[in-house]
Amino acid sequence: MTNFITNFLEVFYVLIGLIMLFAGIESFRDKENPARIGTGLFWVILAVIFAGGRLLPYPVIGGLILLLGVLSLLKQIKPGNIKGIDEKIAETSAKRLGGWIFMPSVVLAILSIVIAQFTPLGGQIGIGISSVVALITAVWMTKSSAKTAYHDSERMVRSMGTAGILPQLLAMLGAVFTASGVGELTAKAISGVFPVGNHLLGVVLYCLAMAIFTMIMGNGFAAFAVITAGIGIPFVVAQGGSPVVVAAIGMTSGYCGTLMTPMAANFNSLPVALMEMKDNMGVIKQQAPIALTLLVIQIFLMYFLAF
């Protein structure tokens, strides 16, 4: 079953690579973009990594990632001239569909949960299957052509730009930090400054560290492994805190940091790009007061519920 799931998951990586290849092709064809060669190479390289990463040697993948970094450093990756949607057609379709316009999103959410919870396929494959079904639903409801689906897919990918791969890079960084023992070093450094045994101090340290480290890494999951090993276990769990409560609220504390950092590209940078906002920090400015309030609430909840 494990091999089946792995091979099935590989199908969706190939599909993702295919969409990135579409973005690369259209970037090469965009003669109005002065960096069309670099931009096209960026998306084609990503397509190769996603679609064929399992077949490529690790040094080759590492070299391709370094090449992506060089293209970004030289500012050779630009969205270029991205063809927008026809506003009249979009408005007509929106009026015709009404509230049903949200059906593909609802299908994606419900189907992914059902597959993840009630089948052995897991959440990743659940999201992959539900995404395909949601796309088919959207095409059927809007009576769109394959050409429209093609251009809308590549348009969205190109609009995201380099921010689209930030979550993958940050997740990789989290794995590197964990393997290199950053959590242990963090515990030693903090234990030399703050005394072990004070429940409230331990909770405050853990929750604040989760939020701050998530802001640095842009990924609550990456921060969780490092900060829980370095602070959560020795300063909270080892002092009598419930592991279940500490882990659950620790993760939500990290999410508070997600709301306040541009490193969380899928939450805070992509909306800016897709909605063409003038203020790059506009989303974060709106979320920050709520995030800080929630962080204080998480601290009190962990303190009163974990012990």
Side-chain angles (χ1 to χ4, degrees):
M1 188 64 182
T2 302
N3 290 334
F4 171 77
I5 291 176
T6 301
N7 293 331
F8 198 3
L9 186 60
E10 199 67 27
V11 172
F12 296 111
Y13 281 116
V14 172
L15 290 176
I16 294 172
L18 192 61
I19 294 174
M20 290 181 174
L21 179 61
F22 295 160
I25 291 172
E26 294 304 318
S27 295
F28 281 128
R29 295 173 62 182
D30 183 10
K31 295 183 179 180
E32 296 183 19
N33 185 357
R36 67 189 183 94
I37 302 299
T39 306
L41 281 174
F42 175 83
W43 291 117
V44 170
I45 291 172
L46 270 181
V48 171
I49 293 175
F50 269 88
R54 193 177 179 186
L55 304 175
L56 297 174
Y58 293 153
V60 173
I61 296 177
L64 291 175
I65 292 174
L66 288 176
L67 182 55
L68 293 179
V70 171
L71 289 172
S72 180
L73 179 65
L74 297 178
K75 297 182 179 180
Q76 292 301 304
I77 307 169
K78 299 179 180 180
N81 181 33
I82 301 176
K83 185 179 179 181
I85 61 174
D86 190 313
E87 294 185 3
K88 291 184 178 180
I89 295 177
E91 185 176 350
T92 302
S93 298
K95 290 180 179 179
R96 177 175 61 84
L97 293 171
W100 290 101
I101 196 172
F102 298 104
M103 180 56 68
S105 299
V106 173
V107 169
L108 190 154
I110 294 177
L111 186 57
S112 60
I113 292 174
V114 170
I115 295 174
Q117 295 296 322
F118 301 105
T119 73
L121 296 177
Q124 289 179 309
I125 290 181
I127 293 175
I129 294 175
S130 57
S131 297
V132 173
V133 174
L135 175 61
I136 294 173
T137 302
V139 171
W140 173 72
M141 289 179 60
T142 58
K143 297 180 175 57
S144 299
S145 63
K147 183 178 180 180
T148 300
Y150 167 88
H151 282 294
D152 281 354
S153 297
E154 62 87 11
R155 176 174 57 84
M156 185 176 67
V157 171
R158 292 171 63 197
S159 297
M160 291 188 299
T162 55
I165 67 166
L166 190 56
Q168 289 83 14
L169 295 178
L170 293 173
M172 179 178 65
L173 180 62
V176 171
F177 276 18
T178 302
S180 60
V182 173
E184 296 178 5
L185 292 175
T186 302
K188 291 179 181 179
I190 293 180
S191 61
V193 179
F194 299 98
V196 177
N198 186 312
H199 291 173
L200 180 59
L201 180 60
V203 168
V204 171
L205 283 174
Y206 179 47
C207 292
L208 285 178
M210 274 298 301
I212 293 171
F213 211 71
T214 299
M215 291 177 67
I216 295 172
M217 302 189 69
N219 189 308
F221 292 99
F224 182 77
V226 176
I227 299 302
T228 300
I231 301 177
I233 293 177
F235 283 84
V236 185
V237 176
Q239 308 309 314
S242 168
V244 175
V245 175
V246 171
I249 299 181
M251 183 61 80
T252 54
S253 298
Y255 292 157
C256 294
T258 301
L259 299 175
M260 298 186 289
T261 174
M263 295 296 286
N266 49 334
F267 285 93
N268 305 325
S269 298
L270 293 187
V272 172
L274 294 176
M275 294 188 291
E276 299 180 355
M277 296 174 60
K278 296 181 179 179
D279 187 356
N280 291 332
M281 300 293 288
V283 174
I284 294 176
K285 289 177 181 178
Q286 295 297 319
Q287 294 175 164
I290 299 173
L292 292 172
T293 302
L294 289 175
L295 182 58
V296 173
I297 294 173
Q298 303 307 306
I299 292 173
F300 280 102
L301 285 175
M302 184 180 294
Y303 179 69
F304 288 108
L305 298 177
F307 297 97

